[in-house]
Amino acid sequence: MSEIVWTDVGNDAARLLSRYIQIDTTNPPGNERAAVEFLEGFLTSRSIPSARYTSAPDRANLLAKLEGDGSAAPVMLLHHMDVVPANRDRWAEDPFSGSLADGHVLGRGAIDDKGLGVMQLIAFGLLRDSGVAFKRDILLLAVSDEESGGKLGSQWMVENHWPDIQCEYVWDEGGTGTIGIMGNRPVFAVSVAEKKGMNVRLTTQGTGGHGSFVSTSPLNRMVTALNRLQSSRMPAQFGDVTKKFLREVSRTQSFPSSWLVRNAYKPVVRTLVANKLAAIPAIDAMLRDTVTLTSVQSGAGTNVAPDSAIASLDVRLLPSTDKTDFLRRLKSALGDDSVIIESADPPPIVDSSATDSEFFRALNRVIVQRAPDSIVTPIQTPVGTDSRFFRSKGAHAYGLLPAILTQADLDTIHGANERISVTNLEFGTRIIYETLLELCA
Ligand SMILES: [Zn+2]
């Protein structure tokens, strides 16, 4: 086994990511078959076999495996090949150029999720080259369709091919390392749970009339109810994951702030720090169920008071929130019993992935070794990821892009000028390689 030159690995990762970005996998339509062919090319050039799973025309998933001796259950590296659309007018360059400049790779998917995919792919190749005998299989799965909910990707694989991918641990997206957001030490937020998305429809009905009369039409009632809703907030809830998170991030603060953050869940302290925590949107969304108004439909003409109004709400429930409890609170926040509330069932509750597992401990050790001043913490991510499909099968899924991002980097995710540094590509590949070596050797 020859010594790994990590700067060379970073440059290789940057070149590979640049080419990966050039394959336009905007979903819809996705067209991930082209990405599968690209990944197959990388694996074949290293004589690593892989299998293709076609879920629809031009939509496919790819699985590769490094065999272990079977004395421990498999671990899987997971990323999605599809990307969200890019509005070219807002980008400095073509979002699919994959341009390499100023030590960065630019393009849609650089962070979400092709950057993670390239780190995993190169680490996978290095693990194979290491010649080490593994106690567990190491799987690499690239999926379609994450950005549209996973029906042709992870969900489809779990429902149709679970025996092929059955694993104890999954390394997915969902969290990342950041710097300068919570103090000046790097904080690695590893997602171990996620909120449950639920769509809610509100309807008001009644009599409309002529626009020339003072109106109490259903539209007026809807606006009044929505105003009440906008000015109310769902209560903060402090589950186990959130308490662990507060304990870890309190270490980024000096006293007395550190003490306040650590004890923020206690009723007396809560009133002192609630506003401070809520001012950071990502933390606020971890603390409570969120309700976002996404559309209102009503009206037929300027001089007609409408006889109905419909509003759509994008609701994200904490893992522990019960639907009935939430709907009761929603009704009270609207303050009008005549508003009809309809909702789909949220996805079933799945357990958080363990923070005392062999995986989490190995990851923690490797990160602290490579970034000595850093803090590693579990979080429950506000966004939906494919991890839920694997958690529903009993696997422990951990969401982490092992990179150290600034707020400016984070703002490019699903936005304009998405980019990742070559330094982060090198760092992340090394974290994945060393963590899996520790977990599997
Ligand atoms: Zn993603």
Side-chain angles (χ1 to χ4, degrees), residues 141-274:
L141 179 64
V143 293
S144 292
D145 204 32
E146 191 276 340
E147 298 291 2
S148 295
K151 282 197 174 59
L152 297 171
S154 285
Q155 185 179 354
W156 186 85
M157 287 297 294
V158 165
E159 284 173 0
N160 296 288
H161 298 284
W162 180 245
D164 296 356
I165 54 175
Q166 196 166 5
C167 55
E168 181 175 12
Y169 300 121
V170 178
W171 190 320
D172 189 16
E173 62 176 351
T176 186
T178 56
I179 190 148
I181 297 172
M182 287 168 281
N184 290 318
R185 295 168 67 177
V187 176
F188 289 84
V190 183
S191 168
V192 296
E194 66 187 48
K195 293 174 87 175
K196 303 171 285 180
M198 180 171 84
N199 294 331
V200 173
R201 193 163 91 140
L202 307 176
T203 308
T204 48
Q205 291 169 329
T207 351
H210 198 285
S212 60
F213 295 105
V214 175
S215 175
T216 54
S217 79
L219 177 56
N220 292 63
R221 280 193 281 119
M222 178 64 84
V223 170
T224 306
L226 290 175
N227 258 319
R228 285 194 210 101
L229 179 63
Q230 299 276 60
S231 59
S232 74
R233 282 148 62 78
M234 294 294 151
Q237 298 180 49
F238 296 88
D240 285 349
V241 173
T242 304
K243 283 183 188 166
K244 279 190 186 113
F245 167 77
L246 293 172
R247 197 164 60 229
E248 292 300 331
V249 296
S250 72
R251 296 163 55 208
T252 65
Q253 309 287 310
S254 50
F255 187 82
S257 184
S258 57
W259 186 88
L260 290 169
V261 171
R262 192 164 59 246
N263 293 286
Y265 63 93
K266 294 179 178 164
V268 182
V269 184
R270 200 179 292 189
T271 49
L272 295 171
V273 284

Side-chain angles (χ1 to χ4, degrees), residues 281-297:
I283 294 185
D284 193 38
M286 277 178 60
L287 295 180
R288 66 190 83 245
D289 304 321
T290 55
V291 180
T292 302
L293 176 64
T294 49
S295 86
V296 182
Q297 292 158 16

Side-chain angles (χ1 to χ4, degrees), residues 16 60 82 88 144 157 173 212-213 245 265 280 317-318 345 352 355 402 406 409 426:
L16 191 68
D82 59 323
R88 279 167 198 249
S144 292
M157 287 297 294
E173 62 176 351
S212 60
F213 295 105
F245 167 77
Y265 63 93
I280 304 171
L317 302 178
L318 290 168
D345 279 330
S352 303
T355 53
T406 62
D409 294 328
E426 176 190 328

Side-chain angles (χ1 to χ4, degrees), residues 79-80 82-84 111-114 146-147 172-174 383-386 413-414:
H79 86 282
H80 63 85
D82 59 323
V83 297
V84 292
I111 296 178
D112 179 17
D113 193 23
K114 288 175 173 170
E146 191 276 340
E147 298 291 2
D172 189 16
E173 62 176 351
V383 299
T385 69
D386 278 348
I413 302 174
H414 288 208

